[in-house]
Amino acid sequence: MATVTERLEERRNWWQGLSASPQVTSLIILAVVLAGFSIANPNFLSPLNISNMMAFLPELGIMALAMTLLLTAGEFDLSVGAVFALGPVIVMLLAQQAGIDIGFALLVGLAVCIAIGAVNGVIVTKIGISSFLVTLSMLLIVRGTALYVTQGFPLKSWNEPGIFVSLLAGSFQLGPFKLYVSLYWFIGLTLIAAYILNWSKLGNWISAIGSNRNAAIARGVPADAVKIGLFIAASVLSGLAGMISAFRISAASPVAGTGYELEVIAMVVVGGTALTGGYGTILGTVVGAFMLRAIRNGIVLIGVPGLAFNIFVGALILVMLVLHAMLSKRGARR
């Protein structure tokens, strides 16, 4: 039997390991953020304000899930914000101006997103160009396409949205909270992404590719196919998030999603996923998504100009990067 000293040492090691977890660090900071804003303005935790925060959270959160998997594999996608705009623009153009059935229009919109992700993935893996340069170029192409086909004007939704729109952007009442069906999409996709990353062979492949691509290939991991699939997933989920958003506000704007690519990457990094690849956390991403939405909402409630949001995000990213680096070094010394 273990002695008292041994049991105390085991508990001490367990606590040190828990405290070194990036998810725990992110949760602690999220708790501090929520407490700070609620003290500064009691309306921060009111049902109406929570409903407002939860209306948009799932849309960026869905994008962040795919970005987590991509960053874990050592790549990232700067075109997701532009795809967020182009997806619903295509759907509304087809449904309104071409008279195409909304269900088929949705499939066409998602097919375009698949094509964009496939092009990104193939160029990165087969030609060997940095994902930064490839997806930056794709951002300009996709954003330019959305602006050209709409002539820069937003498209309003149709008068009878139908079942597909209800399935994507319908709302429901949960006690005092008004929530949207997109929350179910976010929860379901979170569970799928968590399973993939933590308990599947594909998740092991993704982490291995991000840690050492050549070693992963030597062990038989189809690195190129995995990365192409992740680029496609990032584009498809971004287009889906854009469609959810457009249906929720009954309009598709060609400039929607501007800057979202950086905000999504911030959510993922703040949650503890390594920018260098090899380690990702879905739980951390969910926490990061909540944190950034809370900050965006909270600074407005306490009277800070909304234009200062990027200052807070930049500072938060720096703080989280420093904390994660310190915790990693501490874990390595143990």
Side-chain angles (χ1 to χ4, degrees):
M1 294 179 63
T3 64
V4 174
T5 302
E6 289 173 341
R7 286 198 297 269
L8 289 174
E9 183 65 21
E10 288 176 359
R11 292 178 182 177
R12 177 173 173 272
N13 291 337
W14 177 85
W15 174 250
Q16 286 182 342
L18 182 64
S19 63
S21 169
Q23 297 97 314
V24 173
T25 305
S26 301
L27 279 170
I28 292 173
I29 294 181
L30 173 61
V32 172
V33 167
L34 295 177
F37 282 131
S38 61
I39 293 172
N41 190 328
N43 290 327
F44 178 74
L45 293 180
S46 68
L48 177 60
N49 193 56
I50 291 175
S51 298
N52 290 335
M53 283 194 291
M54 294 302 294
F56 189 55
L57 171 68
E59 295 156 16
L60 277 179
I62 288 170
M63 299 169 67
L65 295 175
M67 189 68 76
T68 302
L69 299 178
L70 198 54
L71 275 173
T72 305
E75 307 289 351
F76 57 90
D77 189 345
L78 294 178
S79 68
V80 292
V83 175
F84 179 93
L86 183 62
V89 161
I90 291 174
V91 174
M92 290 194 180
L93 280 175
L94 292 175
Q96 291 180 359
Q97 300 185 12
I100 294 177
D101 176 74
I102 179 61
F104 185 72
L106 284 167
L107 291 177
V108 173
L110 292 175
V112 172
C113 296
I114 291 173
I116 293 170
V119 170
N120 283 336
V122 169
I123 294 177
V124 169
T125 59
K126 302 302 182 182
I127 300 180
I129 303 176
S130 164
S131 59
F132 174 84
L133 297 175
V134 173
T135 58
L136 177 60
S137 301
M138 187 60 74
L139 181 158
L140 298 174
I141 293 170
V142 173
R143 182 70 69 187
T145 301
L147 287 167
Y148 179 75
V149 299
T150 61
Q151 295 300 297
F153 294 100
L155 302 172
K156 292 185 178 180
S157 181
W158 40 90
N159 295 327
E160 297 180 3
I163 187 171
F164 289 103
V165 178
S166 298
L167 287 174
L168 289 175
S171 63
F172 61 96
Q173 201 72 26
L174 183 63
F177 304 103
K178 180 184 178 182
L179 302 175
Y180 287 85
V181 175
S182 56
L183 182 61
Y184 290 131
W185 284 91
F186 181 43
I187 293 172
L189 290 169
T190 296
L191 294 176
I192 293 172
Y195 172 78
I196 289 174
L197 189 58
N198 297 318
W199 296 290
S200 73
K201 180 186 292 186
L202 177 58
N204 292 332
W205 287 354
I206 292 171
S207 298
I209 293 168
S211 298
N212 190 323
R213 180 176 179 273
N214 292 332
I217 292 175
R219 295 181 179 181
V221 175
D224 289 353
V226 170
K227 283 189 177 184
I228 291 172
L230 293 178
F231 275 108
I232 292 174
S235 288
V236 169
L237 291 187
S238 297
L240 175 64
M243 294 169 194
I244 290 172
S245 178
F247 294 156
R248 179 174 60 83
I249 64 176
S250 299
S253 171
V255 296
T258 300
Y260 285 2
E261 56 279 347
L262 299 181
E263 190 167 344
V264 167
I265 291 174
M267 290 176 176
V268 177
V269 173
V270 164
T273 295
L275 269 174
T276 53
Y279 177 80
T281 162
I282 296 299
L283 174 59
T285 294
V286 173
V287 173
F290 273 97
M291 193 184 304
L292 264 69
R293 294 312 303 166
I295 291 174
R296 180 181 286 279
N297 180 274
I299 62 174
V300 174
L301 280 182
I302 64 176
V304 178
L307 295 176
F309 172 70
N310 288 339
I311 299 174
F312 284 83
V313 173
L316 180 62
I317 292 173
L318 280 177
V319 169
M320 295 302 293
L321 288 174
V322 170
L323 285 175
H324 292 325
M326 292 173 61
L327 291 172
S328 297
K329 290 180 180 179
R330 177 183 171 188
R333 285 198 298 268
R334 296 208 321 270

